Amino acid sequence: MRRRNGRLSRLNSEFMGITTRFNALHQLLERLRSNGTDHVVAAIKPGLQDLAELLDGFSGRALTSPDAARLTSALTSYKADLPAKVRSLRATFQQSDPSDAEQLDFHTAYELLYRFVDDLHGYAQTHASLADHTHEREQWDEPFTPQTNWMASAASGIRAAFILVVLGSYWVATAWPSGATMTLIAAATVGLSAATPNPKRMAFQMACGTFLGALIGFVEMFFIFPWIDGFPLLCVMLAPVIVLGSFLSSRPQYAGVGLGLLIFFSTGSVPDNLTVYNPYAFINDYIAMVLGMLVCAAAGAIILPPNSRWLWRRLEQDLRGQVVYAISGKLKGLASGFESSTRDLLHQAYGLAAGQPQVQRDLLRWMFVVLEVGHAIIELRKEQAILPVHPAYAESQPWRQAIRVMGRSLVRLFLQPSQSNLQRGLIAVDHAISRVQATDEPFAPHFDTSALRRVKSYLHFIRTSLLDPQSPLAAYADTQPQGLEHAP
């Protein structure tokens, strides 16, 4: 496992990239169908059908390393034939005299398809490499990038500090012999529950599990353990409790009860090497444990509760802010960092909004549009970073200036969504597309040889994402001007 750790990290990152790319292609095709441009979808379908037939032989079962090697070989051939296939399909499509926008839809769909196949090919290569103890794909320096809101961290810290100050003061003031246990268990509980969407519920469930452990532990400690002899009998007596705790932990609605039972039954009821049968200390320690957990539950409900509206709203803002990260972050490792941090933010916000399905749906919709636009921007930046030296690609070219203006308008839109910012963003994207279309380049106008054709595809995809009626931005599109045309 350690020899393959880098490849497993790469596999995880590549799988996230595949799902994002597939969703982008699927969403584009759905938009085309909803707009009534079925002839464009029909022109795109042959290339998709070839890929579907290729993948059909691997469906319905887990992908093994030999399967992954065969898939890699098949995708290599498919990738090599795809450019010629696209040119042939484009020639046929142009016979129907499509509009400029329809041609952009065609090119954008096949650009997304090519990127999806390329990502899937890399994933298959990594999967196939797992059969070897060592492999060159083990070198992977783009780990999962978590994203934590500082306000959520500060709230957890304030809550924990308050709990420890209150319980520590009570311990010092009363000189309760079990005060140390109470403070220690409270610190453990606040740490265990802080990472959950609802710390109050988790702490209360753990208190219930601990109370159950106290009842079972009292019976076992004072009525069973004195009569058994040897380690095998001890295991037999402990096994039912461990089985019960494991069963409860496997059920999401009772996970805290199972956790409390497993941890704190073992803490307070399992015999020590020198067992002391002291009912007074036993009862005091369990009272201290349950009291410490109940204080944690009360603090989670009163002091900056993390499942309240303010926090998941902040996380939603951070989610939208990932577009800013895609625009301004360092290009090295940006794609995997953007993907993993965006999904981590969604996971946190989605958990905090538990019990509010409409909020969770909105968060998912924001994630999709952020991933679509963010990946298109990253691809756009990568394309510009590898442009050859030629006057058509110079920094001073109008199309490059228009893309920078578009980036600033997208930053404003995702930081402060509004009708005016959406309108400015769409105008900026359309202007960038028109500037690219008006630029001549010295290469054949095919998606595998023309950088500007690929740039136009990315820009057009950003535009379709902003206009997607399923996107949360659709709520701001009531007064958005219609009929924006691209310059020929």
Side-chain angles (χ1 to χ4, degrees):
M1 183 65 74
R2 292 179 62 185
R3 288 183 178 183
R4 294 165 174 79
N5 186 59
R7 279 172 282 172
L8 290 174
S9 297
R10 180 194 286 264
L11 205 65
N12 179 58
S13 179
E14 288 172 339
F15 182 77
M16 289 192 294
I18 288 171
T19 56
T20 298
R21 196 78 70 181
F22 178 81
N23 177 73
L25 178 59
H26 172 73
Q27 289 295 99
L28 177 62
L29 295 175
E30 287 299 310
R31 289 170 204 144
L32 294 177
R33 292 189 183 98
S34 64
N35 291 336
T37 53
D38 292 335
H39 61 291
V40 180
V41 178
I44 298 167
K45 188 175 180 179
L48 299 175
Q49 187 64 35
D50 291 344
L51 179 61
E53 292 174 358
L54 185 155
L55 297 176
D56 190 54
F58 302 92
S59 63
R61 66 178 191 273
L63 191 69
T64 63
S65 295
D67 286 340
R70 290 192 295 108
L71 178 60
T72 301
S73 177
L75 288 172
T76 300
S77 300
Y78 180 86
K79 279 179 61 180
D81 296 339
L82 185 58
K85 178 80 172 178
V86 173
R87 290 168 195 157
S88 173
L89 291 172
R90 185 173 67 228
T92 304
F93 178 57
Q94 287 178 339
Q95 292 176 4
S96 64
D97 193 23
S99 65
D100 290 341
E102 290 172 343
Q103 290 189 60
L104 270 176
D105 288 329
F106 178 89
H107 295 146
T108 301
Y110 270 107
E111 179 64 28
L112 288 172
L113 177 62
Y114 185 84
R115 296 296 179 186
F116 171 70
V117 171
D118 187 54
D119 289 346
L120 185 59
H121 181 255
Y123 175 83
Q125 284 182 306
T126 305
H127 196 299
S129 72
L130 294 175
D132 302 324
H133 288 298
T134 58
H135 197 276
E136 61 183 3
R137 296 185 75 82
E138 181 67 25
Q139 303 303 317
W140 180 251
D141 58 353
E142 299 179 14
F144 186 91
T145 305
Q147 186 81 1
T148 303
N149 183 275
W150 70 268
M151 293 185 69
S153 302
S156 296
I158 292 170
R159 200 179 306 115
F162 174 81
I163 291 169
L164 293 180
V165 166
V166 169
L167 294 183
S169 300
Y170 178 79
W171 173 28
V172 172
T174 61
W176 186 21
S178 296
T181 300
M182 176 181 64
T183 308
L184 180 64
I185 296 303
T189 303
V190 76
L192 290 170
S193 62
T196 63
N198 193 340
K200 171 193 69 175
R201 182 172 180 270
M202 175 59 74
F204 181 75
Q205 284 197 348
M206 288 177 67
C208 294
T210 303
F211 181 72
L212 178 60
L215 297 178
I216 297 173
F218 187 85
V219 173
E220 293 216 356
M221 175 66 76
F222 299 105
F223 296 96
I224 297 178
F225 290 161
W227 296 97
I228 65 174
D229 184 21
F231 183 71
L233 284 177
L234 176 63
C235 293
V236 170
M237 293 299 103
L238 295 178
V241 185
I242 295 173
V243 169
L244 175 61
S246 301
F247 174 78
L248 292 173
S249 298
S250 67
R251 297 296 185 269
Q253 64 269 37
Y254 302 117
V257 178
L259 189 65
L261 175 59
L262 286 173
I263 295 177
F264 298 107
F265 172 81
S266 301
T267 301
S269 302
V270 174
D272 296 325
N273 191 31
L274 179 61
T275 305
V276 177
Y277 296 98
N278 185 347
Y280 176 82
F282 180 93
I283 295 172
N284 263 279
D285 285 344
Y286 267 109
I287 290 175
M289 292 181 193
V290 174
L291 183 60
M293 293 175 193
L294 292 177
V295 171
C296 289
I302 298 171
I303 304 173
L304 302 174
N307 59 338
S308 56
R309 179 186 178 89
W310 68 272
L311 184 52
W312 53 257
R313 282 296 185 192
R314 290 291 305 180
L315 290 173
E316 182 186 294
Q317 292 177 11
D318 290 349
L319 188 62
R320 297 198 306 268
Q322 288 295 101
V323 173
V324 182
Y325 175 52
I327 292 172
S328 58
K330 290 184 179 180
L331 203 53
K332 179 177 172 56
L334 180 60
S336 60
F338 167 78
E339 182 85 44
S340 55
S341 57
T342 301
R343 290 173 183 262
D344 185 49
L345 280 171
L346 174 74
H347 176 74
Q348 296 175 48
Y350 194 88
L352 294 175
Q356 303 181 69
Q358 184 57 48
V359 173
Q360 291 178 325
R361 281 194 293 270
D362 290 342
L363 288 168
L364 283 171
R365 292 165 66 209
W366 273 118
M367 184 203 70
F368 286 133
V369 71
V370 165
L371 285 176
E372 289 177 7
V373 173
H375 269 289
I377 290 169
I378 293 170
E379 295 292 347
L380 197 58
R381 291 183 59 190
K382 287 181 177 179
E383 200 65 56
Q384 293 180 85
I386 60 173
L387 287 172
V389 178
H390 189 274
Y393 306 133
E395 287 278 353
S396 58
Q397 280 286 335
W399 70 270
R400 298 199 69 171
Q401 296 179 19
I403 287 177
R404 288 193 286 272
V405 171
M406 179 199 72
R408 291 193 290 270
S409 70
L410 290 177
V411 168
R412 286 194 298 270
L413 171 61
F414 279 88
L415 290 182
Q416 295 180 331
S418 66
Q419 290 182 358
S420 60
N421 283 340
L422 176 60
Q423 183 175 348
R424 291 191 189 99
L426 288 168
I427 291 173
V429 175
D430 275 281
H431 179 66
I433 293 174
S434 67
R435 291 303 87 207
V436 173
Q437 288 176 325
T439 304
D440 294 325
E441 64 177 334
F443 303 105
H446 305 308
F447 78 90
D448 56 330
T449 58
S450 170
L452 291 185
R453 170 149 285 174
R454 293 191 293 272
V455 167
K456 277 192 293 185
S457 295
Y458 300 138
L459 292 172
H460 182 64
F461 182 71
I462 292 173
R463 183 179 188 275
T464 61
S465 296
L466 298 181
L467 289 172
D468 184 6
Q470 302 300 321
S471 162
L473 292 172
Y476 306 100
D478 295 338
T479 61
Q480 183 265 319
Q482 301 295 320
L484 292 172
E485 296 292 337
H486 306 314

